[in-house]
Amino acid sequence: MNPSITAKLAQLSERLLEVNQLLSTEEATKSMDTFRKLNRERAELEPVVELYYAYQRCLDDVNTAQDMAADPGMREFADVEIKQGQERLLQLDAELQKQLLPKDPNDERSVFLEIRAGTGGDEAALFAGDLFRMYSRFAERKRWQVEIISESPGEMGGYKEIIARIVGQGAYSVLKFESGAHRVQRVPTTETQGRVHTSACTVAIMPEVDEVNDVILNSADLRIDTFRASGAGGQHINKTDSAVRITHLPTGVVVECQDGRSQHQNKAQAMRVLAARIKDAQVREQNAKTAATRKSLVGSGDRSERIRTYNFPQGRITDHRINLTLYKMDQMMDGDINELTGALMAEHQAEQLAAMAEDVLS
């Protein structure tokens, strides 16, 4: 194991002891915020430190076996122990490196999913509907909840735009690589000549944020307008100005919400989406700066970047960031995208490991 990694693990081990001692004091329980932070830190440290202790025990066993190998009567047994121990050390070393990778603080959060029809008119709106169904079915498989926040139906079906909240632990860690431009190639239902058309939609995955702690929204920076909801929702909604539009004046970000049963509910939902959009813009700005020095293998997540093509005539889906092509169109459009999301997460982790190795060598 690299000495710098060993030193880092020793520091984490000492910090865990310190955290455990702090949690055992009366002072820790006086502030619930401090108590939660310490518990969260302990939960993050324990798996890494346990692996480090396992590595140390295995290293001690290998050293003991090497000493035993000096005895001719024990050499055969010792050689087997040494070989098995060294293989285990390599395995533990790899696991420890993964545990030390920088963690995205948003990974465990729920998300806001935004899908917008792009080039392609009615066909793009239909494809937006197909994408929303794909993500909804995927969420069902994960036992996550899906709540529609706002929707603008297409004239022929699907959506010109739809915003939904997907509630589930770790949703962002799985879905964050879905942000970008999704292209579809297929024969539209309105096409009489049987020609394949190309359309596109943009997808944005934003972590749900606590607007109080994560994003400071000054009321003076907000313009809040109310208007009558235009969509279906019952007589009560259509007779009152329950729909809400919030404009964040410094950034020009606009959020509308009209699917709730009351103005209060719509305003609360719109504020949550607004906070997520502003936080997402901040994160993308930071990522752009980071990408200037090290380009992520899974792309920058920029919404203008074409990340995937869905070719219906050939039944294939290709993710251009990792050059992965799967011939499972029906299953994937029905929400079975585990293979795809797993490959993207693995590629990102591999890139992180390579970057960590570069930092160690430099």
Side-chain angles (χ1 to χ4, degrees):
M1 183 181 292
N2 187 282
S4 63
I5 293 178
T6 303
K8 174 69 173 177
L9 289 166
Q11 289 176 1
L12 295 178
S13 178
E14 291 174 7
R15 177 58 184 168
L16 179 59
L17 292 174
E18 184 181 348
V19 169
N20 283 331
Q21 288 173 353
L22 289 170
L23 282 168
S24 66
T25 64
E26 292 183 8
E27 291 294 321
T29 56
K30 287 183 179 179
S31 168
M32 285 309 297
D33 188 48
T34 301
F35 186 70
R36 280 194 294 268
K37 285 180 179 177
L38 287 172
N39 264 313
R40 193 181 304 120
E41 186 177 1
R42 180 172 65 179
E44 292 174 356
L45 287 171
E46 278 183 337
V48 186
V49 174
E50 285 175 7
L51 272 175
Y52 176 51
Y53 288 159
Y55 182 90
Q56 288 182 315
R57 289 193 298 271
C58 187
L59 186 61
D60 289 340
D61 291 343
V62 169
N63 290 334
T64 299
Q66 288 174 337
D67 291 339
M68 289 169 54
D71 182 347
M74 300 292 292
R75 182 171 297 166
E76 186 176 346
F77 172 77
D79 286 345
V80 173
E81 290 292 305
I82 292 169
K83 182 180 178 182
Q84 291 178 347
Q86 288 175 338
E87 290 174 354
R88 177 64 176 154
L89 282 175
L90 288 173
Q91 180 184 350
L92 288 168
D93 191 5
E95 290 178 17
L96 279 166
Q97 287 189 51
K98 289 180 182 179
Q99 287 285 347
L100 288 174
L101 291 176
K103 291 179 174 60
D104 188 327
N106 295 315
D107 271 352
E108 294 306 307
R109 297 187 184 232
S110 298
V111 303
F112 285 108
L113 162 69
E114 293 189 0
I115 304 175
R116 290 185 175 84
T119 55
D122 291 336
E123 173 61 14
L126 289 169
F127 182 52
D130 293 338
L131 286 177
F132 179 67
R133 182 181 182 277
M134 179 182 79
Y135 291 124
S136 297
R137 295 284 291 124
F138 179 66
E140 288 175 16
R141 293 167 186 262
K142 292 284 189 180
R143 300 185 185 278
W144 296 338
Q145 294 179 342
V146 179
E147 304 170 2
I148 295 178
I149 303 297
S150 176
E151 58 184 309
S152 175
E155 294 178 6
M156 301 290 292
Y159 302 99
K160 295 176 183 177
E161 174 186 286
I162 183 164
I163 303 173
R165 179 173 176 242
I166 298 179
V167 184
Q169 187 172 7
Y172 184 69
S173 67
V174 178
L175 291 172
K176 62 184 175 182
F177 301 116
E178 294 301 299
S179 289
H182 294 240
R183 184 177 68 173
V184 62
Q185 296 172 326
R186 65 183 176 187
V187 179
T189 54
T190 55
E191 170 59 55
T192 57
Q193 303 297 319
R195 292 172 297 185
V196 174
H197 288 224
T198 298
S199 304
C201 292
T202 56
V203 172
I205 300 291
M206 301 175 296
E208 184 177 30
V209 300
D210 180 344
E211 59 264 30
V212 176
N213 296 328
D214 290 356
V215 177
I216 299 174
L217 295 175
N218 190 329
S219 58
D221 293 335
L222 303 177
R223 187 177 74 233
I224 302 176
D225 302 307
T226 58
F227 57 97
R228 190 159 297 180
S230 59
Q235 293 181 350
H236 172 71
I237 284 182
N238 291 327
K239 287 184 178 179
T240 62
D241 290 341
S242 60
V244 174
R245 179 189 299 113
I246 301 178
T247 304
H248 187 245
L249 299 174
T251 61
V253 175
V254 180
V255 175
E256 288 185 6
C257 190
Q258 58 177 304
D259 281 27
R261 297 294 302 176
S262 68
Q263 187 182 115
H264 176 75
Q265 187 179 30
N266 282 326
K267 181 181 176 182
Q269 288 281 37
M271 286 291 286
R272 290 160 79 180
V273 176
L274 177 65
R277 282 189 183 171
I278 293 172
K279 182 68 174 180
D280 179 58
Q282 293 170 352
V283 169
R284 284 189 289 115
E285 182 181 357
Q286 182 60 42
N287 286 346
K289 293 177 181 177
T290 304
T293 55
R294 180 180 288 131
K295 179 74 168 68
S296 171
L297 289 180
V298 293
S300 63
D302 190 315
R303 300 194 190 122
S304 64
E305 178 185 8
R306 187 193 70 188
I307 63 169
R308 192 174 300 148
T309 296
Y310 303 72
N311 187 302
F312 277 76
Q314 297 180 20
R316 62 175 168 82
I317 295 179
T318 301
D319 195 288
H320 305 290
R321 296 163 294 178
I322 56 176
N323 294 320
L324 175 66
T325 296
L326 298 170
Y327 290 88
K328 300 170 64 175
M329 181 68 73
D330 291 342
Q331 299 97 308
M332 295 183 73
M333 295 310 293
D334 193 43
D336 185 9
I337 59 173
N338 274 313
E339 186 174 353
L340 191 55
T341 57
L344 287 162
M345 292 169 71
E347 193 75 18
H348 179 60
Q349 190 177 75
E351 197 274 341
Q352 285 183 302
L353 285 167
M356 188 168 74
E358 287 178 15
D359 292 339
V360 169
L361 292 173
S362 59

